[in-house]
Amino acid sequence: MSTDNPPESRTDDGIVAHGEPLVEVSGLKKHFDDGLSLLDRLLGAEQQAVKAVDGVDFTIDKGETLGLVGESGCGKSTVGETTLQLQTPTDGSVTFDGTDITEQGDLTEFRSRAQIVFQDPYSSLDPRMPVGRSIRQPLDIHDWPQGASDKMARRRDRVAELMERVGLSADQLDRYPGEFSGGQLQRVGIARALALDPDFIVLDEPTSALDVSVQAQILNLLSELQEEFDLTYLFISHDLGVIRYICDRIAVMYLGEIVEIAPAEELFTNPQHPYTKALLESVPRVELAERDRDIDPLSGDVPSPRNPPSGCRFRTRCPEIIPPEDLDISQDGFRAVMDVRDRIERREVAAEKVRDLVSEELAEDDPDESRLDSLVTDRLYERLVPVDLPGPVEEDLREALELVVDEGWEAAETMLREEYQSVCETDHPTGQVACHLVEE
C-alpha cells in the first residue's frame, strides 16, 4: 500500500490489540413504515412498522472479526447499513472509536474510516464507469491527498497499487465491469473499500454470489488484508462454514434481535440457544458416519417482523418451552397446548369447515345441534392435538374448542391464556444467550 495515508487515517498504536473496542452498538433499532395507502388511512387502518432491527447490542474490538449470522430476512444487512449510518437508526447509538456517530451531523471523517463491501459485485459497481474510476471515487470525494500539487497522478498510482494488491492487474483499471468475472469484480469492490485506508469494514455477504472455489480465494484475501492493514471486520453471512473460518466471535440473529454471542469455536462446539443449535444442526455433513443423520427441522414459519411474538421471539418455533411451575407435562404436550392456543388467538381453527364435513358424514337433514357440536369438537381435537395429554389438560382444551365451535373465541383465548402461560411469552430474555432455559 502507499505510504501516503489519507487525512484522518488511523495510527498504528494498539490497533490489533483485542479488548479495545472500536465499534460499540447499543439498543440499535431500525423500523420501516409499511406505507399505508390513502384508502387504508381513510378506513382508519393503523400504521404497523416493520421491526427489521429491534434492540441490538454488540461491540467489535480493534483487529477483530465479528460474524453476524441468521436466516434470510432476520435483519443482518440492516444492522450493517445502520451501523455505518447508511440507514438512519430509529433508536439506539453507534459509538466509533469513542465518538457517538449517531449524534454527529458531519460524517466525513467517519466515512473515511469505515467502509462496506456489498453482497452483489455486479450491482455495486456502475457498469458505465471504468473500475479504476470507481476505486478512485473515494479519493476524489475526500480530496486525497490534501495539499498535493499532483493529486490526479498520485490518485492514479494509488488505484493501480490497490488493483495489484487485491490480485488484479494495473493494466485493467480502464476496463468496464462487464469485462470482469464475479470474483474479479468483488476484488474491485474490496480495493474501493481500501482506498482511504479505513479502520473498519462491513462485509455484507461478500462471497455468497461467488463460485465455491472463488469464495475461498476472496476469504483468504480478506484474511491477508486484515492482518496486513490491521482491519476490523463485521462479517455478515448466512453460511456457517464461512463464518467459522474467518470470524473470531459470532453473533446469531433471529427476527431483528441477537440471541447469542460467543467465540467462534465455542459457539460451534457448545451452542447454548435453541435457535443456534437448530442452525448448526441444519448444516450438511460430508462424513460417512453422518449419512443416516435425521435432521429435525424447525417447525412453523418465521413470524412477521410487523407483529413479532411477545417475550422470547423464538418461542413459536422453539422445540422447548417452559411450562407453568405447577404443571406436570411433557415438552411435546405443552407445545401442543401452545399451538392450539396460538391458533385460537389467530382465529385459525377451521370450525365451520369441520362442521360442514361432519354434517355431510352424518347424512341427516336436521342433525341435533348439541350432538353436532360435540362431534365437531372431537374432530377438531383429533386434528390439533397429536399427543396424549394429562386428563385435566385435555379437558381444558376440549372446553376451549367447544367455545370456539360456539363462536366464543375471546372466552377460549382468555381461558387458555390464564391457565397455560409461559415465562417465554411474558418476559423478554436478555444476556449473551437470550434464552430463559439458559438462565434457569
Side-chain angles (χ1 to χ4, degrees), residues 84-275:
L84 291 179
Q85 303 299 289
L86 300 179
Q87 301 267 8
T88 303
T90 304
D91 197 6
S93 65
V94 178
T95 302
F96 182 80
D97 202 14
T99 301
D100 186 352
I101 60 173
T102 55
E103 299 294 331
Q104 281 194 320
D106 184 5
L107 294 174
T108 303
E109 179 185 348
F110 172 68
R111 298 282 186 227
S112 70
R113 301 181 63 191
Q115 293 291 317
I116 186 169
V117 175
F118 294 98
Q119 176 180 358
D120 186 357
Y122 295 95
S123 63
S124 62
L125 295 170
D126 189 338
R128 299 165 297 179
M129 184 184 295
V131 296
R133 185 177 169 191
S134 291
I135 298 172
R136 198 190 72 208
Q137 266 194 325
L139 304 175
D140 294 340
I141 293 170
H142 289 267
D143 193 27
W144 181 92
Q146 293 183 359
S149 58
D150 55 346
K151 289 181 181 180
M152 294 309 297
R154 294 178 67 177
R155 288 175 191 172
R156 187 173 180 87
D157 289 343
R158 183 163 179 80
V159 170
E161 186 177 4
L162 288 165
M163 291 276 285
E164 297 281 356
R165 183 59 195 84
V166 298
L168 299 173
S169 170
D171 296 334
Q172 297 174 304
L173 58 85
D174 290 322
R175 295 185 182 179
Y176 289 84
E179 301 176 66
F180 292 87
S181 67
Q184 289 174 321
L185 287 180
Q186 197 61 292
R187 291 175 186 268
V188 171
I190 294 171
R192 180 176 60 182
L194 291 172
L196 289 166
D197 196 19
D199 298 321
F200 174 54
I201 299 180
V202 173
L203 302 164
D204 188 4
E205 304 207 37
T207 61
S208 63
L210 308 178
D211 294 337
V212 174
S213 60
V214 180
Q215 287 183 14
Q217 297 172 16
I218 296 298
L219 291 174
N220 288 335
L221 173 64
L222 290 171
S223 296
E224 293 169 5
L225 293 172
Q226 181 177 35
E227 183 176 354
E228 183 175 350
F229 304 118
D230 302 331
L231 295 169
T232 302
Y233 290 154
L234 173 61
F235 194 101
I236 299 168
S237 180
H238 62 271
D239 189 326
L240 288 166
V242 169
I243 284 283
R244 186 175 191 176
Y245 174 78
I246 199 169
C247 295
D248 300 304
R249 288 187 303 132
I250 299 173
V252 181
M253 278 197 75
Y254 181 79
L255 203 61
E257 296 182 337
I258 290 178
V259 297
E260 182 170 1
I261 300 181
E265 283 307 308
E266 180 180 324
L267 185 126
F268 275 85
T269 57
N270 187 29
Q272 298 294 305
H273 197 280
Y275 179 62

